[in-house]
Amino acid sequence: MRSRGHFRKNVYPSPFHSRLEPLNKLKEWGRWHDYLSADTYICDSKEYFAVRNTCAVFDLTPMEKTRVTGPDAFAYLDRLLTRSVEKVKPGRVGYCVWCDDNGRLLDDGTLFHLHEGDYRLCSLHPQLDWMLTSAIGFDVDIRVETHEVAALAFQGPTSCAVLRKMGLDDIENLKPFGIKHYAFAGTELMVSRTGYSGDLGYELWIDPSAAEDLWDRLFEAGELHGIMPFGGNALDLVRIEAGLLLCGKDFLPADGTVRPERTRSPFELGLDWLVDLSKPCFNGRQALLEEKKNGSRYNFVKLDIDGNKPANDSFIMLQNKTTVGHVTSAMWSPSAKANIAFASLEAPYGQVGEEFLAEIYYQRELKWTRVLAPCRVIDHNFFEPPRRRMTPAPDF
Amino acid sequence: MKKYDAIVIGAGHNGLTNAAFLAKAGLSVLLLERNPYIGGATVSREIYPGFKYSNCSYVCSLLRPEIYRDLNLAKYGLQIVPYGGSVTLCENGDFFGNFTDADVARREMQRHSERDAVAAVRFDRDIMRQCKFIRPFLMRTPPDPTSFKPRDIRELIHYGKEYYKLGEEVIYDTIRFYTMSIAEYLDEYFESGVIKAAFAGSGIIGSALGVMSPGTSYVLLHHAMGEVDGSMGAWGFARGGMGAIADAMAAALVDLGGEIRTDAGVEQIIVRNGRAVGVALENGDEHYAQVIVSNLDPKRTFLKIMDEKDLDPSFVEKAKNFKIRGSSGKLNIALDGVPEFPALGKDNELIRGDMHFMDSIERLERAYDDWKNGTWSKDPYVDMLIPTLTDPTMTPEGKHFMSVFVQYVPPKVNGRDWTDADRDAFGQTVLDQIANYSPNFKDLILDVEIRTPREIEAEVGLTEGNIFQGELTMDQLLFNRPFPGYAQYRGPVKGMYMCGSATHPGGGVMAAPGANAAREILMDLKRPNSVPEGWVDD
C-alpha cells in the first residue's frame, strides 16, 4: 500500500477479506479509507438483531491506529487528550476526545494502554499531523500502525460464550474496558472488552498474518451461537441506541472544517465528563475554560420523539415553530421500541425534560408528508442492557 | 457612417463578454479585433495541418458559471470537461501524484510523508476558507476606499462585514496569506520537498516572482478559486480547445445583435473635448460611439493607442509603472503518439492531468534566479498537459497535442531583444527537459510552436506576454487594479472604459472583468443592468 504502484488499486482487501467475501451475499462493497468495507452483508435487520440477540463480527481493520511510546508517553497523552490519562491504567482502555487550541474537537477515539507506558490511540481519521505538532518538547515515539494490526469488533450477548469456547481462558472475568493478551497461532491475540454497540462485546486485535486463522476459529466456535458478520449500517443503528457519537455525522473534525463556527467543543457535544479542567495543561484548555465561564453555543441532546417516523435531518423547533437546531443522527430503535435521535440545539435550549417539535418529512408511495412530532430531551441511553457491564460476563 | 453605442477593442474573452452584455442590454456594439481571428489568448488555431492547439491559455476553471449560464454558452457548443489529477516527476525517477480519488490521493501523500497526508486536510481547509472569502467579490466592482459615495461606502461595509465573519483566526491568516511567499506558506503545512514543490507551482504561474517572493501565496489562491460544476479548485478542458470559449461567446454576441470585425487593429482612441468619441483603425477607417471600451492591457491602451497628451501626466506615469512583466513562454507540440513516461508506468491516469518536473522549492527558486539574471530558466518549471487524451476533437486519431507552459522566460535576453536563435534555443531547453523524463518523446514530435514573450506580445498583444495582463500582487489587486482610483472600470477620460484582465478580479479565463465593466457602463448610460449577480457560496 506504500509502494509506487499503490494507485493501481483504488481500494484494498482487508486481511479478513477472503472470509468476508463469501459471506457478503449482496456483493456490494463500500470503502473505508484504504479498505473494502461493506455497509450490509446479508440484511441490515438480520445483522442488527445478531448484535442484539446473538453475536456478530465487524471488520475494524481500517480504523486508524497510532502507537505512542517513549519515556514521556503518559505526559504527552495527558497533554493531547482532554481527559485524565492517569485513569487509563496499564491493561485498560479509555474513551477520549482531543481538541485543537480553540477547544474544538478534532476526533474521538479509544486509548489502549497496552503495557506500562505503551499506548495505542484508535481514531476514525489519521491524526499524525496534530499528534506530532503536540509532541514538541516530549520524548515520545509516535508511529502509525494502521495496517500492521487487523481488528474485529465482536459484539453481542453470546460473544463471551463464543470466546470461551474458542479457548480464551478467563475471558468472562475481563472487565469492561479491560485488555487481555493471549498466545494465538504463533502470535499474540489482544482482546479488549470494548465496542461501539453498547452491548456485551469485545474487540480482537491481531497481526494481519493470523487474521484468517482468527476468523476461522471464531466462526467455528460461534457456529451454534448465531455468529454472522455485520456491516456499517447495523453498526450505525447499535451505536445510536448506545448513545455513541460518530465523527463526521454528529460532529465535524475541526482540522477539516471550512466554516469555523461549524466545529464543536466537547461541552457542546455533552462530553463534559471527558474534560478534566483540573489538569494544568492540555490542548484546548484555555479555550475550554473560557467557554466554561462564558457559556457554550450549543447543547447536544438525546431526543425521544413521538410517533414512529425517524427524524433524519429534521429541524428541531420551539412550540412557536422557531428553529433552534437540527438532528444529527436518528432511527427507530427496535430494541427500545422508541423513535430516537441526537440533535444539536442552540444554547440554552436542550435541558433535560424540555419539549420541542421535530419537523419530519416522510414518504409513502411517492407521497411526501410533513409532521411536527413532539419530542423531549432525555438524559439516559436508549438501550443499555445490564450484561454490558456485568463481570463475570454472562453466557447470553 | 453608422454610429455605435459602444465600441469594444480586443476580441479576447473579456472583450467578447463585455460586448455581449452591452448588446444584451440593447446597445449597438462593435467589437474590433486586430488579428484575423478572435479569441485573444483564449484561442485555438490550426498551426499544423489537422491539429488544433490551445495556443495560449490551455485549461479552464475560473470562467464564472454565472456568465457561462447567462450568455447561454452551452447552447453555442461550449463544454468544459474536468480533467483528473496532476503529477510531479522527480529527478530520482519517482513521482508525486495528486490523484482524483481522495483515498488514493491521501495514500500517495502518505507514501511521501505520512504526516503531510494529514496536514493536507488542514491545508485544503485553509485554502478553501480563502476561496470562500474571495469568490463573492469576483462579480462585484471593488469599492474605492477613499470615496464617500454611498455606493462605495456600502460596498466597503459589505467587504468589512464579510471579513469579520471569517472569525478571529481566519482574519489573522488572511493578512498573512495575502503577503507571504508560497514557499513560506507551504512550510507551515508540509515537510516533503516534492509535495511542497507540487503545490508551489500554482503560486508562480504567470508571475515574475519566485516561490520565495512575498505575495505568491495569493497567486496560488487565484488558481484555486475557480470551479467546474461546483467542484471548487477543479480544472477542465474546453472541448475543442480554449478557442471554443471565445467561439461560443462570439456566437452569443452575434445572436444578441453585436457586430465583430477582425483585421481591424485600432491605431488610436479618438478623444475630443476630454471625451473618448471613437477609434481610428490602422486601415484608416474611423468609427464613432458613445462608449469606447478597451480590453487591451493598460500599457497598450494608454501608451500606444491613446495620445499621451489626452491624459494627465500622473496617469501616464501610472501606466508606465504598471507591473506587467514577462515571465512565461509556451510550447505547443504536435505529437505522433502518446509519449511514455517510464516513472508513471503504463495506464497511469496522471498522464491525463497536468505534469511537472520541479521536485523541490530550491529548484523552483533557481529557475527564477535565471530569469533575474536575464535568461530563460535552464531547468524550467513547466505545466504540461496532453488535452487530446481527454478531448477527441483537436487532433487526428492517434495523434496528440501537448501544451507546455514554461516559466521563467524573460521579456528580453540579457537586456537585448529576443532573436529567432534565442527562441529556438529556449525551445530546445524545454524539449530536452521533457526528454529527460520521456525517452521516446522527441521521436514523436511532428511540430513545435515556440512562444516567448516576444511572440505572445506580437500575436496576442499582451505587453511582455504577461498572461494576467498585469501581475497579481497586492499592490495591483482589488481597488488598486489596475491603478489606485481607476478600479471601477472607468478610464481617465469620459466615455472610455477598461474591461481586460488588468482590471478586477484579474487574469485567467474568468470573464468577470468584462462582465463587471459592462455593468458599470450600463449604469453610466442609465440603462438597465444585463449582467447577472454573482452566486453566493453558502
Side-chain angles (χ1 to χ4, degrees):
Chain A
M1 233 181 267
R2 293 288 180 272
S3 77
R4 199 188 287 183
H6 71 89
F7 64 91
R8 297 196 182 281
K9 278 191 202 166
N10 283 45
V11 61
Y12 285 76
S14 103
F16 299 105
H17 189 76
S18 64
R19 303 304 187 262
L20 289 166
E21 205 281 330
L23 295 172
N24 187 341
K25 301 297 179 197
L26 305 181
K27 300 295 172 219
E28 282 173 14
W29 292 98
R31 295 168 71 175
W32 180 357
H33 290 167
D34 297 314
Y35 292 102
L36 283 164
S37 174
D39 282 338
T40 310
Y41 286 93
I42 301 148
C43 152
D44 292 341
S45 168
K46 279 203 173 74
E47 293 165 31
Y48 164 85
F49 277 107
V51 178
R52 290 289 182 239
N53 177 45
T54 54
C55 64
V57 184
F58 180 84
D59 181 5
L60 206 57
T61 307
M63 178 71 83
E64 293 293 332
K65 308 168 204 88
T66 311
R67 193 72 166 257
V68 180
T69 54
D72 289 344
F74 160 73
Y76 162 72
L77 287 163
D78 208 44
R79 151 74 176 271
L80 178 76
L81 308 176
T82 57
R83 64 168 290 160
S84 160
V85 174
E86 206 180 344
K87 290 180 181 159
V88 187
K89 304 286 184 206
R92 301 286 300 163
V93 184
Y95 177 57
C96 56
V97 295
W98 49 101
C99 293
D100 63 11
D101 287 339
N102 300 317
R104 299 299 167 80
L105 235 65
L106 288 161
D107 206 344
D108 66 347
T110 38
L111 180 68
F112 289 72
H113 197 165
L114 306 174
H115 306 281
E116 180 70 47
D118 180 358
Y119 295 89
R120 175 186 293 151
L121 185 64
C122 291
S123 57
L124 185 60
H125 297 296
Q127 299 295 325
L128 194 63
D129 184 40
W130 181 245
M131 286 184 76
L132 287 175
T133 303
S134 303
I136 296 168
F138 290 93
D139 186 1
V140 283
D141 182 50
I142 298 169
R143 207 170 57 79
V144 174
E145 55 175 20
T146 301
H147 307 298
E148 294 162 25
V149 184
L152 294 175
F154 181 44
Q155 308 281 304
T158 62
S159 55
C160 180
V162 172
L163 291 181
R164 251 183 325 121
K165 196 166 171 193
M166 221 177 97
L168 302 190
D169 231 19
D170 200 35
I171 189 72
E172 66 276 14
N173 286 319
L174 182 60
K175 290 181 183 155
F177 292 99
I179 298 174
K180 264 185 187 290
H181 302 270
Y182 294 92
F184 184 92
T187 178
E188 186 193 73
L189 168 66
M190 187 177 95
V191 182
S192 56
R193 189 167 165 189
T194 48
Y196 202 42
S197 69
D199 212 312
L200 175 63
Y202 301 85
E203 288 171 333
L204 313 175
W205 313 81
I206 199 155
D207 188 277
S209 65
E212 290 165 336
D213 267 353
L214 172 65
W215 183 279
D216 294 342
R217 292 275 302 280
L218 193 62
F219 270 66
E220 199 183 292
E223 200 187 346
L224 301 176
H225 290 84
I227 196 169
M228 67 162 76
F230 73 111
N233 290 346
L235 182 70
D236 200 46
L237 298 177
V238 292
R239 69 98 192 165
I240 297 172
E241 285 184 330
L244 300 170
L245 305 186
L246 176 59
C247 178
K249 208 171 165 196
D250 298 306
F251 68 92
L252 295 174
D255 59 340
T257 305
V258 175
R259 299 157 185 82
E261 75 280 4
R262 308 280 161 97
T263 58
R264 292 289 187 269
S265 78
F267 301 139
E268 293 170 338
L269 289 164
L271 299 174
D272 308 43
W273 62 281
L274 280 179
V275 182
D276 182 359
L277 289 170
S278 71
K279 290 199 295 182
C281 180
F282 64 88
N283 293 350
R285 182 172 183 269
Q286 284 308 322
L288 292 172
L289 276 172
E290 285 285 306
E291 186 181 329
K292 202 79 191 158
K293 201 170 79 190
N294 301 329
S296 302
R297 301 165 304 155
Y298 300 98
N299 287 320
F300 193 80
V301 297
K302 293 170 196 143
L303 292 175
D304 186 359
I305 304 166
D306 286 359
N308 61 355
K309 311 290 186 296
N312 294 299
D313 307 322
S314 292
F315 283 118
I316 300 300
M317 299 169 166
L318 302 179
Q319 302 304 326
N320 69 9
K321 315 275 161 61
T322 310
T323 300
V324 293
H326 64 275
V327 165
T328 58
S329 294
M331 68 180 288
W332 168 260
S333 163
S335 295
K337 295 291 177 244
N339 193 16
I340 62 177
F342 299 155
S344 181
L345 305 184
E346 288 163 25
Y349 301 109
Q351 306 311 311
V352 173
E354 244 182 311
E355 301 245 348
F356 299 98
L357 297 172
E359 186 191 41
I360 300 169
Y361 290 81
Y362 70 93
Q363 191 221 71
R364 292 287 180 272
E365 298 185 321
L366 297 186
K367 183 181 181 297
W368 282 91
T369 306
R370 171 180 181 255
V371 292
L372 292 174
C375 55
R376 63 212 56 80
V377 177
I378 58 171
D379 62 352
H380 53 271
N381 288 331
F382 309 108
F383 181 69
E384 200 158 358
R387 60 181 180 248
R388 177 187 188 180
R389 298 187 194 284
M390 281 164 66
T391 310
D395 264 354
F396 42 79
Chain B
M1 178 168 283
K2 181 181 173 187
K3 187 175 170 185
Y4 294 90
D5 291 329
I7 292 173
V8 182
I9 307 165
H13 65 276
N14 277 313
L16 286 158
T17 302
N18 185 263
F21 283 115
L22 295 181
K24 192 183 159 210
L27 270 58
S28 63
V29 183
L30 174 64
L31 175 60
L32 298 170
E33 171 55 48
R34 184 181 64 133
N35 281 319
Y37 49 87
I38 61 148
T42 312
V43 69
S44 306
R45 295 175 61 206
E46 189 174 325
I47 302 274
Y48 183 74
F51 286 68
K52 262 202 175 169
Y53 297 162
S54 284
N55 304 72
C56 295
S57 65
Y58 48 101
V59 281
C60 180
S61 166
L62 296 169
L63 181 60
R64 293 308 310 157
E66 300 93 336
I67 296 170
Y68 196 146
R69 178 165 162 181
D70 198 82
L71 292 181
N72 223 342
L73 300 183
K75 176 183 156 190
Y76 301 105
L78 182 58
Q79 183 150 38
I80 307 292
V81 183
Y83 69 79
S86 68
V87 64
T88 301
L89 297 167
C90 306
E91 268 185 323
N92 68 7
D94 197 356
F95 68 84
F96 166 66
N98 193 352
F99 290 87
T100 44
D101 180 284
D103 285 324
V104 178
R106 177 183 40 72
R107 211 154 57 217
E108 173 73 354
M109 262 198 192
Q110 284 172 330
R111 187 167 78 80
H112 291 275
S113 160
E114 195 84 41
R115 180 180 195 170
D116 286 359
V118 190
V121 173
R122 191 163 51 90
F123 178 75
D124 286 347
R125 173 197 69 182
D126 292 348
I127 295 295
M128 196 56 73
R129 282 178 175 173
Q130 296 301 331
C131 285
K132 278 184 59 62
F133 173 56
I134 191 90
R135 280 162 51 99
F137 298 120
L138 300 178
M139 290 292 284
R140 295 174 88 102
T141 298
D144 184 341
T146 67
S147 150
F148 291 103
K149 283 187 201 146
R151 180 177 171 227
D152 286 308
I153 292 169
R154 248 194 338 264
E155 274 298 295
L156 276 171
I157 290 171
H158 177 76
Y159 269 63
K161 271 189 183 160
E162 291 299 311
Y163 188 52
Y164 278 95
K165 259 202 231 163
L166 294 173
E168 208 172 286
E169 196 185 343
V170 191
I171 290 172
Y172 292 134
D173 277 352
T174 304
I175 296 172
R176 298 176 71 241
F177 186 80
Y178 275 73
T179 51
M180 281 170 93
S181 76
I182 187 61
E184 287 170 322
Y185 190 72
L186 291 166
D187 277 341
E188 298 195 349
Y189 297 88
F190 301 111
E191 58 184 17
S192 151
V194 63
I195 290 176
K196 282 193 259 191
F199 284 120
S202 48
I204 54 163
I205 286 183
S207 307
L209 294 169
V211 286
M212 295 179 180
S213 312
T216 41
S217 281
Y218 172 77
V219 183
L220 175 131
L221 176 61
H222 200 84
H223 286 97
M225 67 192 185
E227 64 176 289
V228 178
D229 297 322
S231 173
M232 248 192 254
W235 285 79
F237 295 119
R239 193 169 192 268
M242 290 298 280
I245 298 173
D247 291 345
M249 287 174 167
L253 170 61
V254 170
D255 260 9
L256 290 164
E259 193 180 321
I260 303 173
R261 206 166 295 176
T262 52
D263 286 313
V266 171
E267 178 81 38
Q268 179 87 49
I269 293 178
I270 304 165
V271 177
R272 282 186 195 143
N273 302 321
R275 187 181 172 93
V277 294
V279 294
L281 300 189
E282 285 162 355
N283 67 9
D285 288 355
E286 290 190 359
H287 296 284
Y288 292 88
Q290 208 177 345
V291 163
I292 310 296
V293 192
S294 174
N295 182 31
L296 314 185
D297 71 62
K299 280 199 198 272
R300 213 171 174 89
T301 303
F302 300 116
L303 306 177
K304 291 217 168 109
I305 63 162
M306 284 194 81
D307 188 338
E308 283 145 5
K309 292 192 282 296
D310 289 331
L311 305 170
D312 288 342
S314 64
F315 185 88
V316 176
E317 277 299 308
K318 280 178 181 166
K320 279 191 171 155
N321 293 333
F322 185 64
K323 235 165 42 185
I324 180 166
R325 298 174 293 181
S327 62
S328 47
K330 186 139 188 263
L331 267 63
N332 295 311
I333 306 170
L335 293 171
D336 202 14
V338 184
E340 281 166 24
F341 293 90
L344 296 181
K346 289 230 180 297
D347 304 321
N348 188 331
E349 67 160 38
L350 296 174
I351 198 173
R352 291 184 167 73
D354 42 279
M355 306 176 73
H356 313 268
F357 304 123
M358 287 278 126
D359 59 5
S360 73
I361 291 291
E362 287 71 19
R363 276 176 78 192
L364 281 161
E365 186 68 9
R366 298 277 173 231
Y368 182 50
D369 289 344
D370 288 342
W371 181 89
K372 283 184 282 182
N373 290 334
T375 64
W376 62 87
S377 307
K378 294 297 167 284
D379 180 22
Y381 167 80
V382 302
D383 186 27
M384 182 172 89
L385 292 116
I386 310 175
T388 45
L389 289 170
T390 304
D391 181 348
T393 69
M394 296 173 77
T395 55
E397 208 174 321
K399 318 280 183 202
H400 289 280
F401 159 57
M402 184 190 255
S403 164
V404 189
F405 172 88
V406 191
Q407 205 150 306
Y408 296 84
V409 192
K412 284 177 182 282
V413 181
N414 296 319
R416 57 169 170 77
D417 287 337
W418 280 84
T419 63
D420 288 353
D422 292 330
R423 180 198 60 204
D424 294 343
F426 154 69
Q428 201 55 49
T429 302
V430 178
L431 297 177
D432 289 344
Q433 189 196 44
I434 300 169
N436 283 339
Y437 299 86
S438 175
N440 73 339
F441 166 67
K442 283 187 176 172
D443 301 334
L444 297 171
I445 297 174
L446 299 171
D447 173 61
V448 186
E449 182 194 20
I450 307 169
R451 300 166 71 99
T452 72
R454 176 182 69 158
E455 282 77 24
I456 299 173
E457 175 161 352
E459 290 168 29
V460 186
L462 291 163
T463 300
E464 296 196 8
N466 183 294
I467 65 168
F468 291 137
Q469 264 205 5
E471 280 171 69
L472 298 171
T473 47
M474 206 46 195
D475 56 318
Q476 299 193 151
L477 286 175
L478 288 166
F479 49 78
N480 286 333
R481 192 167 185 88
F483 323 122
Y486 292 91
Q488 298 185 339
Y489 308 96
R490 288 167 188 82
V493 295
K494 268 203 161 14
M496 193 260 153
Y497 296 83
M498 301 171 275
C499 76
S501 292
T503 58
H504 171 81
V509 183
M510 186 164 11
N516 288 344
R519 188 179 51 239
E520 295 300 314
I521 293 165
L522 293 168
M523 195 183 295
D524 287 356
L525 296 177
K526 302 200 164 39
R527 296 281 196 126
N529 179 31
S530 64
V531 179
E533 263 191 48
W535 292 335
V536 181
D537 297 315
D538 182 16

